[in-house]
């Protein structure tokens, strides 16, 4: 038995928010944003668009590439921190939208590491479930709904989007995921979090007035943590897969900040031309970010059979994770 990635898809909303637009909203500059983050534009969902709507578009593209019907899906996993509702989960909403009536459905919350956590979870489920042939995994976020558009420390960083991956169980014994490493450190929960809206601080007039329903971040701490976590997790995954940095065709890191990505690549000894980046166009789309990269790479024919690809991410929790893929 082998679990293979057979298709990908992506969707980003039409509306583009540029650094020049942000200059009119908060005290910032295109120059500051470019040099400190590498971000030039990000896509922002309409007020009427929810995370499941973006999932639907990405899922349709992936299903089309896979050449399978929605009814063939045995499970749907949506990695997100911006679900349409606390419940029902976003995967259930998507299931109805696309008519995947035979799929069981759940969301997974691991912030920006969500897609990596979900791919590993999907593979494990497929290994232990005889009739689970196809699983649809998505990373999708409407971060614009939880960004404080008056906070220049955070609002320049994030964007919206959705990415889909379909896994198939095959007979040939080769898995796409050669090795993985997952980790978390709850002691660092306060450097990247949303204070209100959960059971700790339910929504109230006060919580809204005090702007507690937005991403709260200690940027410098997150930066340091991100580099260390992605480097050590990647090294562990490469060791477990029996590959060296020279064997990696592409490093696909969570698209948080160009300077973070550059530092990770340098410390892993992977030259920058083998690091896939699109954060200049999309910003940080949390759980969607690695999936948006993968789909672009697939559709631009950058990946050939046998290529080794290293995915690595970190996010709120804090969480982190890495996967060595063989394409
Ligand atoms: N425009 C202009 N100035 C800004 C600004 C903006 N959008 N945001 C912050 N500043 C200011 C700060 O107020 C600070 O001013 P001060 O020195 O007068 O206090 C100054 O720029 C430098 O801030 P600093 O925090 O030193 O910047 P930095 O080099 O650490 O970059 C981040 C800030 C947020 C870009 C960077 O820390 C980062 O990317 N961290 C990780 C964030 C991340 O990835 N989060 C998501 C995780 S999934």
């Amino acid at each position: 038995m082998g679990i293979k990635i057979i298709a990908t898809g992506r969707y980003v909303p039409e509306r583009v928010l540029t650094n020049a637009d942000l200059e009119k909203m908060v005290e910032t500059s295109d120059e500051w944003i470019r040099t400190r983050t590498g971000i030039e534009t990000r896509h922002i969902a309409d007020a009427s668009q929810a995370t499941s709507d973006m999932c639907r578009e990405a899922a349709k593209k992936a299903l089309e590439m896979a050449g399978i019907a929605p009814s063939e899906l045995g499970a749907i996993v949506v990695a997100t921190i911006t679900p349409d509702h606390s419940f029902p989960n976003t995967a259930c909403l998507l299931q109805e939208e696309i008519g995947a009536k035979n799929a069981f459905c759940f969301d997974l919350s691991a912030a920006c590491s969500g897609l990596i956590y979900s791919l590993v979870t999907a593979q494990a489920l497929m290994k232990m479930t005889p009739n689970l042939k196809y699983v649809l995994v998505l990373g999708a976020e409407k971060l614009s709904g939880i960004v404080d558009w008056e906070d220049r420390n955070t609002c320049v960083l994030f964007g919206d989007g959705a990415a889909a991956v379909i896994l198939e169980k095959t007979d040939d014994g080769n898995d796409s995921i050669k090795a993985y490493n997952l980790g978390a450190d709850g002691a660092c929960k306060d450097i990247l979090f949303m204070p209100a809206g959960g059971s700790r601080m339910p929504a109230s007039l006060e919580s809204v007035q005090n702007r507690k329903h937005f991403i709260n971040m200690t940027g410098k701490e997150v930066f340091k943590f991100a580099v260390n976590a992605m480097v050590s997790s990647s090294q562990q995954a490469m060791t477990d897969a029996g590959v060296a940095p020279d064997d990696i065709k592409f490093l696909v890191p969570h698209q948080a900040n160009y300077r973070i990505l550059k530092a990770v690549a340098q410390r892993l000894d992977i030259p920058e031309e083998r690091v896939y980046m699109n954060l200049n166009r999309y910003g940080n789309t949390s759980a969607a970010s690695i999936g948006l990269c993968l789909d672009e790479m697939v559709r631009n024919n950058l990946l050939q059979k046998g290529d080794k690809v290293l995915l690595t991410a970190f996010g709120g929790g804090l969480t982190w994770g890495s996967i060595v893929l063989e394409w």
Side-chain angles (χ1 to χ4, degrees):
M1 179 205 304
I3 311 296
K4 288 257 175 60
I5 292 179
I6 56 158
T8 58
R10 73 176 189 280
Y11 172 80
V12 290
E14 253 170 58
R15 185 177 154 218
V16 173
L17 187 73
T18 65
N19 292 348
D21 295 328
L22 282 161
E23 285 176 354
K24 294 176 203 141
M25 296 161 64
V26 288
E27 193 165 336
T28 190
S29 67
D30 173 51
E31 203 262 332
W32 192 96
I33 302 171
R34 269 175 209 263
T35 53
R36 297 296 179 106
T37 73
I39 301 167
E40 293 162 22
T41 58
R42 63 292 284 149
H43 291 250
I44 303 292
D46 284 343
S48 66
Q49 257 179 329
T51 297
S52 67
D53 299 319
M54 294 190 280
C55 286
R56 180 186 61 235
E57 300 309 313
K60 277 193 209 159
K61 300 248 176 63
L63 286 162
E64 204 176 283
M65 186 186 283
I68 62 166
S71 58
E72 292 180 81
L73 295 171
I76 301 176
V77 188
V78 177
T80 188
I81 51 163
T82 49
D84 291 24
H85 307 280
S86 297
F87 72 93
N89 67 49
T90 314
C92 281
L93 305 176
L94 176 65
Q95 182 223 37
E96 190 213 0
E97 288 264 339
I98 62 174
K101 57 184 187 310
N102 297 313
F104 65 87
C105 300
F106 63 98
D107 288 2
L108 190 148
S109 171
C112 309
S113 315
L115 190 76
I116 288 182
Y117 268 62
S118 298
L119 288 171
V120 171
T121 303
Q123 165 156 310
L125 277 170
M126 292 172 89
K127 293 259 181 199
M128 67 188 290
T129 315
N131 296 324
L132 199 51
K133 183 153 173 71
Y134 296 108
V135 175
L136 171 63
V137 174
L138 295 109
E141 304 286 7
K142 185 180 173 180
L143 294 175
S144 59
I146 59 164
V147 161
D148 184 347
W149 292 105
E150 293 179 12
D151 175 15
R152 69 175 184 174
N153 291 297
T154 51
C155 75
V156 301
L157 300 175
F158 299 102
D160 300 333
V165 175
I166 296 178
L167 300 166
E168 178 184 20
K169 191 187 294 179
T170 63
D171 293 329
D172 72 1
N174 278 326
D175 294 328
S176 293
I177 298 179
K178 289 297 168 203
Y180 73 89
N181 171 264
L182 300 179
D185 184 358
C188 302
K189 60 189 182 299
D190 294 337
I191 64 173
L192 185 55
F193 76 121
M194 190 164 97
S199 59
R200 175 73 56 197
M201 193 189 293
S204 65
L205 187 57
E206 200 189 356
S207 70
V208 173
Q209 280 170 344
N210 292 332
R211 312 188 75 76
K212 298 291 186 194
H213 293 268
F214 297 124
I215 296 172
N216 194 300
M217 183 184 82
T218 313
K220 267 198 201 316
E221 291 299 309
V222 173
F223 192 115
K224 271 188 273 173
F225 183 90
V227 176
N228 291 332
M230 288 202 284
V231 168
S232 57
S233 172
S234 294
Q235 283 167 338
Q236 190 59 54
M238 283 194 287
T239 302
D240 292 350
V243 298
D246 277 352
D247 302 321
I248 300 293
K249 174 87 178 281
F250 281 108
L251 168 64
V252 185
H254 167 49
Q255 309 284 301
N257 179 324
Y258 169 66
R259 292 185 295 141
I260 294 178
L261 274 51
K262 209 171 141 181
V264 169
Q266 261 168 7
R267 285 173 54 179
L268 288 176
D269 225 358
I270 295 178
E272 214 173 308
E273 57 273 18
R274 287 198 273 129
V275 183
Y276 194 82
M277 290 192 218
N278 58 18
L279 89 164
N280 59 322
R281 286 175 282 130
Y282 300 134
N284 178 346
T285 56
S286 189
S289 102
I290 284 179
L292 292 178
C293 293
L294 270 184
D295 187 60
E296 283 190 351
M297 295 165 79
V298 170
R299 287 174 198 269
N300 291 325
N301 290 320
L302 297 184
L303 297 176
Q304 313 304 325
K305 192 171 164 17
D307 284 347
K308 304 279 192 308
V309 181
L310 172 60
L311 315 179
T312 187
F314 72 99
L318 293 172
T319 59
W320 61 87
S322 303
I323 286 176
V324 175
L325 286 179
E326 185 175 287
W327 203 252

